[in-house]
Amino acid sequence: MGNDSNSNWREVDLNVDSLWIIGERDKSGKHANVYHGNFIPQVPDQLIRRYTKEGDTVLELFSGGGTTLFECEKLKRNYIGFDINKQIIDYVRGKMQPSSQIKYEICDCDVADFTEFNQAAINVCNEQGIEKVDFLIAHPPYLDVVKFTQDKRDLSQISDIDTFMSKFVDAMRNGLSFLAKDKYFALVAGDIYKRSEVVPLAFYMMDAVKKNFNVKMKGVIIKNIEGNKGKLGSQDIWKYRALKSDYFLFKHEYIFVFKKMD
Ligand SMILES: C[S@@+](CC[C@H](N)C(=O)[O-])C[C@H]1O[C@@H](n2cnc3c(N)ncnc32)[C@H](O)[C@@H]1O
């Protein structure tokens, strides 16, 4: 149990339901919502408060626009992030200056590459004086739906599911080797449409984690994405398109929570 869940459990603002309807995106502090496909800050906020305590270290694969880092800073958790998008890394580093109270680093690194990841992670862990981290969070691209960079190593450049899944498992293996035993991790994922049908990508990823790693699954949470930029103000046209065709509008994503057993 994390810091918040130990004390004062009746009053604590932690959502233990499997359905998270998040009304309004938290835009406070450093959260500027500038990166397409970023987290609603309330997601890392809930997870970090539930599964870590002050002074713990959070590792993030696919760190993007820094939502988790900004939450870590607010909640006094140390942080190690990894992304391949130099531009967004520079943006996030810029937001963190002048130096904050927490220990943090964002590594420009291909998380699916064992040697590159390992080297970067060992270096940062040494700098921060730790061997393993206390929580891991991963929010990979949803195949090639949003292309984040032109970099060939970017998972969002992959359109073949099997190739994508193999890289995803490599990335999770790399990250999980730095998560301490009996600690928790969360995978945030969504499904996609491809060639006129639903591809349950989130389920594939969840299943791959179960099959490849010694974990216990602790939660399947569905959260709404009411505030999705692309759909704001254009509800009618989306409804029209959905009715004219034969599909449904994605409103939700999944948060899969696991406990690492070895
Ligand atoms: C869905 S976004 C993450 C958004 C993040 N949760 C946020 O709140 O901003 C996925 C991220 O994965 C990064 N990425 C894709 N392939 C990668 C790879 N091989 N190694 C590291 N990062 C990668 C992209 O650059 C992108 O920033």
Side-chain angles (χ1 to χ4, degrees), residues 15 20-27 40 42 223-228 232:
N15 192 345
W20 291 5
I21 308 285
I22 301 170
E24 224 182 299
R25 169 182 282 274
D26 176 5
K27 295 203 186 83
I40 294 176
Q42 287 95 323
K223 74 154 190 67
N224 80 328
I225 49 167
E226 280 296 328
N228 190 350
L232 272 185

Side-chain angles (χ1 to χ4, degrees), residues 35 38-39 62 64-65 67 83-84 109-111 139 153-155:
Y35 198 47
N38 63 357
F39 278 147
F62 313 103
T67 324
D83 205 286
I84 211 168
C109 165
D110 174 4
V111 293
H139 184 205
R153 301 167 306 164
D154 184 334
L155 266 64

Side-chain angles (χ1 to χ4, degrees), residues 14-220:
L14 282 174
N15 192 345
V16 295
D17 298 340
S18 61
L19 179 62
W20 291 5
I21 308 285
I22 301 170
E24 224 182 299
R25 169 182 282 274
D26 176 5
K27 295 203 186 83
S28 66
K30 292 181 177 167
H31 298 300
N33 194 17
V34 293
Y35 198 47
H36 191 46
N38 63 357
F39 278 147
I40 294 176
Q42 287 95 323
V43 170
D45 172 77
Q46 284 282 325
L47 295 166
I48 292 165
R49 286 193 293 111
R50 176 135 191 209
Y51 294 113
T52 67
K53 56 187 186 321
E54 278 188 19
D56 277 358
T57 304
V58 173
L59 187 155
E60 181 171 41
L61 301 172
F62 313 103
S63 53
T67 324
T68 305
L69 170 56
F70 303 150
E71 284 300 315
C72 280
E73 187 180 41
K74 187 183 83 188
L75 298 166
K76 300 192 176 71
R77 271 66 162 173
N78 299 320
Y79 174 90
I80 309 171
F82 298 85
D83 205 286
I84 211 168
N85 184 345
K86 290 181 180 35
Q87 247 182 317
I88 199 68
I89 292 175
D90 284 347
Y91 166 82
V92 177
R93 284 183 182 145
K95 294 275 274 191
M96 291 300 286
Q97 288 158 4
S99 73
S100 83
Q101 286 184 317
I102 62 162
K103 295 180 205 163
Y104 73 92
E105 184 60 80
I106 311 156
C107 306
D108 173 1
C109 165
D110 174 4
V111 293
D113 182 305
F114 172 77
T115 312
E116 203 180 308
F117 180 88
N118 228 32
Q119 197 56 62
I122 288 172
N123 286 347
V124 186
C125 284
N126 285 343
E127 279 164 24
Q128 298 197 0
I130 54 168
E131 265 180 45
K132 302 263 175 173
V133 301
D134 305 288
F135 183 67
L136 181 150
I137 184 163
H139 184 205
Y142 301 167
L143 209 68
D144 54 355
V145 169
V146 175
K147 288 194 166 53
F148 292 96
T149 70
Q150 298 304 313
D151 193 318
K152 286 274 167 290
R153 301 167 306 164
D154 184 334
L155 266 64
S156 69
Q157 287 292 328
I158 305 173
S159 47
D160 174 68
I161 305 261
D162 293 339
T163 314
F164 178 91
M165 289 306 299
S166 152
K167 291 274 180 199
F168 164 73
V169 171
D170 289 346
M172 292 305 293
R173 180 173 296 108
N174 290 338
L176 286 173
S177 69
F178 284 85
L179 179 67
K181 180 176 183 289
D182 291 333
K183 296 287 183 174
Y184 295 82
F185 65 99
L187 167 67
V188 180
D191 299 326
I192 60 172
Y193 280 111
K194 227 175 170 42
R195 287 183 280 277
S196 312
E197 68 172 333
V198 174
V199 177
L201 187 67
F203 288 84
Y204 292 163
M205 290 198 254
M206 177 260 279
D207 195 46
V209 169
K210 280 289 293 170
K211 285 192 172 127
N212 285 281
F213 307 108
N214 184 8
V215 298
K216 277 201 193 297
M217 185 141 97
K218 293 293 178 176
V220 178

